[in-house]
Amino acid sequence: MKKEAWFGLAMMALVVILVFIVMPPPSQITTGHLGLLMLAMIVLAIMLGFPTAFTLMGMGTMFTWFAYRSVNPETAVKQTLDLMVQRGYAVMNNDVLVAVPLFVFMGYLVQRANLIEKLFTSLHLVTSRIPGSLAVATIVTCAIFATATGIIGAVVTLMGLLAFPAMLKAGYGIKLSAGAITAGGTLGILIPPSVLLILYGATAGVSVVQLYAGAFFPGIMLAALYIGYVIVLAKLKPDVAPPLSEEEKRVDLPAFAEILSRVRSKNVMAGLIGAIKGKRNAEIPMRTLLKQLGIALLPVIMVSLLMGSIYLSLTAPEGEVPEGVVPMGIGHELPAEETRAEEFGGLQEPEEARKEEPHAPGAIAETKEEPSEAKGITPGGRKPAPGGYWIALGISVLGLAFFYIFFNFVRLELFKMLLASFFPLAILILGVLGTIILGLATPGEAAAMGSFGGLVLAAAYGQINFKMVKESVFLTAKTSAMVCWLFVGSSMFAAAFALLGGQEIINGWVKSLDLTPIQFMILAQVIIFLLGWPLEWTEIIVIFMPIFIPLLAHFQIDPLFFGLLVALNLQTAFLSPPVAMAAFYLKGVAPPHVTLNQIFMGMMPFMAIQVFAIFLLYVFPQIGLWLPSLIYK
Amino acid sequence: MQKILLTIDKISTFAGQASSWLIVSLTLLITYEVFSRYVLRVTHPDAFDAMLMMYGTLFMMAGAYTLAKNAHVRGDVLYRFFPPRVQAGLDLTLYFLFFLPGVVAFCWAGYEYAGESWAIRELSSITSEGLPIYPFKTIIPIAGVFILMQGIVEIIRCVQCLKQGKWPSREVDVEEVDVDELKEMVHVTDKDIEKLDEVITHKKESNK
């Protein structure tokens, strides 16, 4: 038998031994102990490999009946049946879980729009001057694509086909390449909109909106830590991530740009405007020039639209601007602003990126403050804009000025490539997120619009056809059925567990341990980390979260904060050998000489970074809680 | 025998696939509702109920389809290392131990639950004069029966596997990670991967 199987058997043996240690002698067994026994049995049964949803359902039914029978044998059957069907119907009627099939559908559509190749090529050229550029581009591509699709298996496989060969040919180490792909691919379950957070919200009764707002920055932080690690490693050990040759960095300029940068100026604005006004432009048709100028002006148009609409909404006289229309406008403009910030980073002007970033959320704050400031202003007249607005405006103008000073023709080409790959996805993600976080739409509604956006995206890239839609529809049905039936099963199971009083025993036991909140937190995270080995994240969320959540109030821990930690923690479940799914997907498309062990070794540093990220979030909870507290005060 | 099994597979698959198209109407309905709310300034109170009904029907009816394609999540720490006969034996036991009691009870409970709802011609309470919800509740027993039927097919499959030592074949279906399709999507062939292998082995030799 393989050693992985021995590992599984060892885990099972461990559970059995634990049961024997914890269980009192048969004479003292109460129904509560039966609840604990049930918990141990479910772990064993899941490990035996029977479909989890039905294991939960069957066990829940039997133990519910058992619990009712110990009270009143005559009505036990009737009560059990009632409870089961009510639990089932509650899942069918759950307005949080509606978002699951819709987000899943959006993911399959976006994946089939086939943007990943373009995305990777353009990002790789944009980052070409950064040390370890290919690995950085891989992580960014993975993060964006995994966020938009949420299908980790497909992202890791695709990147294994695209980025893995590119990195190996460029002389990158196998371990680093494998680590970047697997770690990047799993970011999709953390960065919202993710299905994991919906499930946690539905289980723990935490608002999904707040979870999304809260997980945004931790997700970005984790991606940034990965990128930082790769850059530092590439600087320290250039032999595992050698810089690209000039040949690979080269961006071919189209004929007109070649001529203009030779004859006029390397700067896009100077070159184009000079050529339009000047006489010596006979070689280049006017149409080309105007078209390029239009593209080059997009950033400034976006910023003016955004700042203009914010100005209008800030200074709007009370009651005149109908609510809804203007916020909707902001919801759509906001993504443009945030992507612009990223685009600066992409073009190697990180100073601007940093300056730009804080002001986008700031803008949200300003719009949200509107009602309070609106008081006392006479209806009809325009209010003065707050000072923060003018500062933000100043920063954007400065940022734009810098952008255009360094905007040469090579960068124009890169900008165009990003426009065709990076921006559509970024706008889709941020549009969906923005509408949810600003409260313009429920997660379900935003997910539906995201799916619609996915259809539009696929159509825009000429990938839409009946077969593609049909496949996405069927896959959506299977994935949603898998998740939602699991939820049906687990809610029956949870009912039985509560009826038997297992929860009280656990509560009493944990309270008797007299832990400080920090100790409890560490204990909980370690348990979840360990569960991540044999179980899938869906199972951990739906079966074990209901046990942890009631304990949070005792330790005065915010369930929102706990959820963010759990989401970060479950990332490690995808990377911890020997059951790391991400590794097996990569192995499936890797050349035969890349061994599974090399992939595992490559994932280790990234796992360490994940643990470090959990630690960071724990020490600085504001990373996660700042945005929700800003918006939902 | 194999014919009957595959026929039931087909029925489950058909029912599941037919209702899976609800995701498209769900997308369009909600998108239109949001558009209507913000642009036309008209809201439809029944849209919320309709949304829940589409979602509920979608996943409930897809349950049997998912089972037919063996796509329900299962813990595979151990399972995938077992030989087929052990897998089948375990599955068979657990089908009797967990699946049948749970699903039969669920069907029965759903049947009574829907019956009560039909008797009073229950309307949704979210809006006054809401949509009728007794057809929606009827989905519970219907989906339950489909799953039960499919479960019996799976039980027979386990027995066949125990006899023959290998799993009987299923009809193919679209998969989440279809490596061949993904390869085609990004224009990578097996030859490219072989070539890449040479790059690695070459590098190792030069390092030595």
Side-chain angles (χ1 to χ4, degrees), chain A residues 298-299 301-303 305-306 329-344 356 360 422-423 426-428 430-431:
Chain A
L298 271 179
I301 296 171
M302 283 297 201
V303 171
L305 273 178
L306 176 77
I330 295 166
H332 287 303
E333 294 299 335
L334 182 72
E337 175 59 49
E338 294 208 352
T339 43
R340 267 187 42 71
E342 278 163 51
E343 156 223 326
F344 276 114
E356 290 268 311
F422 177 79
F423 287 88
I427 290 173
L428 183 68
L430 291 170

Side-chain angles (χ1 to χ4, degrees), chain A residues 4 19 52 56 64 147 160 168 178 247 257 309 321 341 357 383 388 401 432 439 443 456 461 467 500 557 598:
Chain A
E4 286 90 346
V19 168
T52 314
L56 287 165
T64 307
T147 305
L168 293 181
E247 186 59 30
S309 62
V321 177
E357 256 173 88
K383 296 175 293 178
V432 167
V456 173
Y461 284 84
K467 180 171 168 280
L500 286 169
I557 298 167
Q598 281 174 316

Side-chain angles (χ1 to χ4, degrees), chain A residues 85-121:
Chain A
V85 74
Q86 274 161 17
R87 287 299 177 124
Y89 187 65
V91 177
M92 290 169 73
N93 237 337
N94 190 318
D95 61 340
V96 177
L97 291 179
V98 181
V100 171
L102 289 162
F103 273 126
V104 170
F105 188 46
M106 167 182 155
Y108 287 124
L109 288 173
V110 172
Q111 186 216 320
R112 282 169 167 66
N114 203 358
L115 281 167
I116 197 164
E117 205 171 357
K118 286 199 190 84
L119 186 63
F120 180 62
T121 331

Side-chain angles (χ1 to χ4, degrees), chain A residues 12 49 91 108 440 478 593, chain B residues 38 55 74 173-174 176 197:
Chain A
M12 286 177 79
V91 177
Y108 287 124
L440 301 174
K478 284 200 283 188
H593 276 88
Chain B
Y38 281 112
Y55 142 80
R74 43 165 96 218
D173 192 42
V174 50
E176 183 173 287
D197 207 34

Side-chain angles (χ1 to χ4, degrees), chain A residues 4-5 8-9 12 46-52 54-55 57-59 61-62 81 84-85 89 91-95 97-98 101-102 105 108 111 114 117 151 153-154 157-158 161 165 168 171-172 174 323-325 328 440 445 448-449 451-452 466 470-471 473-475 477-479 481-482 484-485 492 534 536 579 584-585 589 591-594, chain B residues 17 20-21 23-24 26-28 30-31 34 37-38 41 48 51-52 55-56 58-60 62-63 65-67 69 71-75 77-81 90-91 94-95 97-99 101-103 105-106 108-110 112-113 133 136-137 139-140 147 173-177 179 181-183 185-188 193 196-197 199-201 203-204:
Chain A
E4 286 90 346
L9 281 179
M12 286 177 79
I46 289 173
M47 286 173 75
L48 286 179
F50 194 66
T52 314
F54 301 112
T55 312
M57 218 164 136
M59 220 180 244
T61 314
M62 285 187 282
L81 291 181
M84 278 187 77
V85 74
Y89 187 65
V91 177
M92 290 169 73
N93 237 337
N94 190 318
D95 61 340
L97 291 179
V98 181
L102 289 162
F105 188 46
Y108 287 124
Q111 186 216 320
N114 203 358
E117 205 171 357
I151 315 159
T157 308
L158 281 170
L161 290 168
L168 293 181
Y172 278 49
I174 294 174
E323 214 181 301
V325 170
M328 190 75 174
L440 301 174
E445 287 168 350
M449 289 190 286
S451 296
F452 193 72
F466 181 70
K470 189 179 79 178
E471 284 180 355
V473 165
F474 292 168
L475 282 173
K478 284 200 283 188
T479 308
M482 190 262 275
C484 295
W485 274 92
M492 290 176 190
E536 291 216 22
V579 277
F584 288 99
Y585 284 123
V589 289
H593 276 88
V594 174
Chain B
Q17 291 188 338
S20 66
W21 286 100
I23 189 69
V24 178
L26 189 58
T27 303
L28 297 179
I30 300 179
T31 310
V34 173
R37 186 168 76 216
Y38 281 112
R41 331 217 119 250
F48 185 75
M51 169 179 98
L52 287 177
Y55 142 80
L58 166 70
F59 91 81
M60 288 298 279
Y65 166 44
T66 311
L67 188 60
K69 302 300 172 201
H72 277 290
V73 61
R74 43 165 96 218
V77 211
L78 280 172
Y79 191 80
R80 72 189 142 140
F81 300 112
L90 273 175
D91 272 0
L94 296 179
Y95 265 111
L97 193 62
F98 296 137
F99 182 90
V103 174
F106 191 63
W108 183 249
E112 288 194 341
Y113 194 61
I133 51 173
F136 184 43
K137 286 188 173 173
I139 295 292
I140 302 176
I147 287 217
D173 192 42
V174 50
E175 304 231 1
E176 183 173 287
V177 182
V179 175
E181 206 166 280
L182 293 178
K183 275 181 190 162
M185 221 171 111
V186 292
H187 321 293
V188 174
I193 298 180
L196 190 61
D197 207 34
V199 174
I200 304 171
T201 41
K203 205 168 79 178
K204 269 185 197 154

Side-chain angles (χ1 to χ4, degrees), chain B residues 30-42:
Chain B
I30 300 179
T31 310
Y32 178 76
E33 177 61 20
V34 173
F35 174 77
S36 155
R37 186 168 76 216
Y38 281 112
V39 181
L40 309 179
R41 331 217 119 250
V42 183

Side-chain angles (χ1 to χ4, degrees), chain A residues 36-223:
Chain A
L36 292 188
L37 187 67
M38 183 171 89
L39 204 60
M41 275 173 68
I42 200 77
V43 176
L44 289 180
I46 289 173
M47 286 173 75
L48 286 179
F50 194 66
T52 314
F54 301 112
T55 312
L56 287 165
M57 218 164 136
M59 220 180 244
T61 314
M62 285 187 282
F63 279 90
T64 307
W65 175 75
F66 215 76
Y68 278 129
R69 204 191 62 129
S70 66
V71 183
N72 183 352
E74 278 166 26
T75 56
V77 172
K78 174 94 182 79
Q79 280 174 314
T80 309
L81 291 181
D82 283 351
L83 186 75
M84 278 187 77
V85 74
Q86 274 161 17
R87 287 299 177 124
Y89 187 65
V91 177
M92 290 169 73
N93 237 337
N94 190 318
D95 61 340
V96 177
L97 291 179
V98 181
V100 171
L102 289 162
F103 273 126
V104 170
F105 188 46
M106 167 182 155
Y108 287 124
L109 288 173
V110 172
Q111 186 216 320
R112 282 169 167 66
N114 203 358
L115 281 167
I116 197 164
E117 205 171 357
K118 286 199 190 84
L119 186 63
F120 180 62
T121 331
S122 54
L123 283 174
H124 141 215
L125 285 172
V126 169
T127 57
S128 62
R129 290 191 197 170
I130 300 174
S133 66
L134 273 174
V136 172
T138 303
I139 293 172
V140 177
T141 310
C142 278
I144 293 169
F145 208 67
T147 305
T149 64
I151 315 159
I152 288 159
V155 177
V156 172
T157 308
L158 281 170
M159 289 308 276
L161 290 168
L162 274 177
F164 204 48
M167 283 193 275
L168 293 181
K169 276 180 201 154
Y172 278 49
I174 294 174
K175 289 175 195 166
L176 176 67
S177 316
I181 292 174
T182 46
T186 55
L187 279 171
I189 67 165
L190 172 65
I191 304 179
S194 78
V195 173
L196 182 142
L197 293 170
I198 301 178
L199 282 189
Y200 179 83
T203 315
V206 180
S207 133
V208 176
V209 182
Q210 295 205 18
L211 280 169
Y212 275 6
F216 188 68
F217 283 114
I220 304 273
M221 175 186 80
L222 189 57

